[in-house]
Amino acid sequence: MNLTRRRSIAGLIGTALAAALTLTGCSSTESTSSPRKTATGDTSSRLPAAEGKTSYPLTLESPFGKTVLEKRPERIAAVVPNAIDTELLLSLGVTPVLSSSFVKEGGYLGKHGADDVKTYEFVMGEEVPVEAIAASKPDLIVAVGWTDGLGGVKLADHYDRLKSIAPVVTSPDTSSQLLIPWQDSIRVLGETLDLVDAAKRVVDDHEKHFAALRKKHPEFEGLTATWAIFYGEANGLQYLSRPDSAPEAFLGELGFARNPGAREFARDATVSDELLSKIDADVLLLGQSAAVDDKGMRELTGRDLFRNLGAVSSGNFVQLPPKTEDGGDLLWAISSGGPIGNKWATGHLVPRLADAL
């Protein structure tokens, strides 16, 4: 079952990419292997050397229109609210000139260059500050990981203003509210930035890492799993490994099967008392929001309704703190992260899962 699931994810990635970009290059390929001065005096050291596989001018098609990238960009603004695109750029060795402030939220990207990136302050539900983006003087705006309504804002509402600043590269399909697979996004970036091979290496390294984990932990194979988080009185218990979500995909890559109970939360992630039994699985992961103190968690996990869940009564229950020992946020790494966050998360999470089983 899991093998079929992994193949279907891979097939989705390939299909979306092929249909996607219609990144239509014209005849000549521009080489940028040596640093060049930009209009602001910076050099192209923000990007690795070009691979010579992408031709410019390049038409960037999106669900909202098209823009043309005349030459290989040097100043890249990554504007997605949760900063997933910044993580992907950093994994390619690219340093953007601007990112959402949420690039620091996960606590695991600092040593990968996040501390060197200028950020704009993003507030959930508020407009993306187009003026700050314009002030960074980008020659490409990256928005490939922007799912529909991410952070309470829609890319469709910003696209025309963004393209008036610089060419904009997006995902070919921004209709999902839960997940644009980062593998799709990084391949789009690789084609756009003439880093096709670099993007492939990131994807291949990720697949090898998870294949090694599945081989080391065959006990995960075929078991169902649930990832939930408790936000306290305000937002209650929320089901995170919803169908086609990033947490579900992450668990699937570790070898776990889809949980049939997840369908109950496809439209609304809130876990009421009446639905508590639906979160049960072979393994239950429960995260603790920073807004919840230890007393609040004990009250939740001490209730009979919770203690009677099969995963809890059998001991296949993993409770996760708001932050790891090194200050990272596992939930952020899984729900918003890309290859760097996912790999970091396995180092903290897999030993706990193995102990629980």
Side-chain angles (χ1 to χ4, degrees):
M1 179 174 182
N2 281 305
L3 181 58
T4 301
R5 169 67 175 150
R6 289 194 289 272
R7 284 173 176 165
S8 77
I9 291 173
L12 174 63
I13 291 169
T15 301
L17 185 67
L21 278 173
T22 316
L23 286 167
T24 320
C26 295
S27 56
S28 63
T29 298
E30 179 186 349
S31 174
T32 58
S33 56
S34 58
R36 298 179 301 149
K37 293 286 184 179
T38 68
T40 59
D42 295 336
T43 69
S44 57
S45 60
R46 287 182 172 274
L47 279 75
E51 296 172 357
K53 295 190 174 181
T54 298
S55 298
Y56 303 96
L58 189 64
T59 300
L60 308 175
E61 294 196 0
S62 83
F64 319 111
K66 64 175 69 174
T67 53
V68 177
L69 188 60
E70 295 294 340
K71 61 182 182 178
R72 191 182 191 225
E74 297 172 341
R75 295 181 58 81
I76 299 163
V79 302
V80 176
N82 70 351
I84 175 58
D85 290 351
T86 306
E87 177 173 339
L88 297 180
L89 290 168
L90 293 173
S91 74
L92 290 171
V94 176
T95 304
V97 295
L98 188 69
S99 167
S100 159
S101 55
F102 276 102
V103 71
K104 303 181 190 300
E105 187 72 17
Y108 50 83
L109 287 175
K111 64 181 180 181
H112 296 275
D115 292 342
D116 299 326
V117 179
K118 183 178 180 181
T119 62
Y120 73 84
E121 193 66 29
F122 177 73
V123 179
M124 296 289 285
E126 294 191 4
E127 293 292 302
V128 171
V130 176
E131 295 77 10
I133 296 169
S136 71
K137 296 182 171 59
D139 47 22
L140 175 69
I141 294 172
V142 168
V144 291
W146 201 330
T147 54
D148 187 36
L150 178 65
V153 292
K154 291 180 177 289
L155 177 56
D157 296 336
H158 292 77
Y159 181 81
D160 286 343
R161 294 177 68 194
L162 292 174
K163 77 174 185 179
S164 71
I165 300 170
V168 182
V169 59
T170 76
S171 166
D173 180 9
T174 59
S175 62
S176 171
Q177 294 186 347
L178 293 178
L179 175 66
I180 295 174
W182 67 261
Q183 292 92 336
D184 282 3
S185 297
I186 202 168
R187 287 174 173 134
V188 171
L189 290 176
E191 179 71 21
T192 305
L193 302 178
D194 197 8
L195 294 172
V196 174
D197 289 344
K200 184 177 185 302
R201 283 194 296 272
V202 174
V203 174
D204 288 348
D205 287 349
H206 174 87
E207 292 176 353
K208 289 176 183 175
H209 177 73
F210 276 85
L213 288 175
R214 291 192 298 272
K215 183 176 181 180
K216 184 177 180 180
H217 296 282
E219 69 272 22
F220 298 165
E221 185 70 27
L223 297 180
T224 59
T226 288
W227 191 314
I229 187 168
F230 185 47
Y231 288 97
E233 291 185 8
N235 295 301
L237 184 62
Q238 299 284 316
Y239 193 102
L240 296 183
S241 48
R242 298 161 69 187
D244 300 319
S245 66
E248 185 195 57
F250 175 86
L251 292 170
E253 288 192 286
L254 288 176
F256 290 97
R258 275 185 162 180
N259 187 352
R263 292 193 295 267
E264 192 71 45
F265 305 97
R267 293 183 177 274
D268 186 351
T270 303
V271 183
S272 62
D273 283 352
E274 292 76 16
L275 292 176
L276 189 61
S277 63
K278 298 292 185 180
I279 78 170
D280 207 358
D282 294 315
V283 181
L284 173 60
L285 296 121
L286 178 65
Q288 178 179 342
S289 164
V292 179
D293 58 20
D294 291 342
K295 179 183 177 183
M297 287 299 290
R298 286 194 299 270
E299 290 175 353
L300 171 70
T301 58
R303 299 173 61 200
D304 287 342
L305 275 174
F306 190 88
R307 293 170 61 190
N308 289 335
L309 293 171
V312 178
S313 61
S314 64
N316 296 348
F317 169 51
V318 179
Q319 187 171 328
L320 303 170
K323 298 287 185 180
T324 58
E325 315 82 64
D326 55 0
D329 188 325
L330 281 170
L331 174 61
W332 187 270
I334 302 308
S335 60
S336 298
I340 299 173
N342 280 188
K343 186 174 182 179
W344 171 84
T346 60
H348 290 273
L349 187 58
V350 169
R352 290 173 178 260
L353 285 167
D355 288 344
L357 294 173

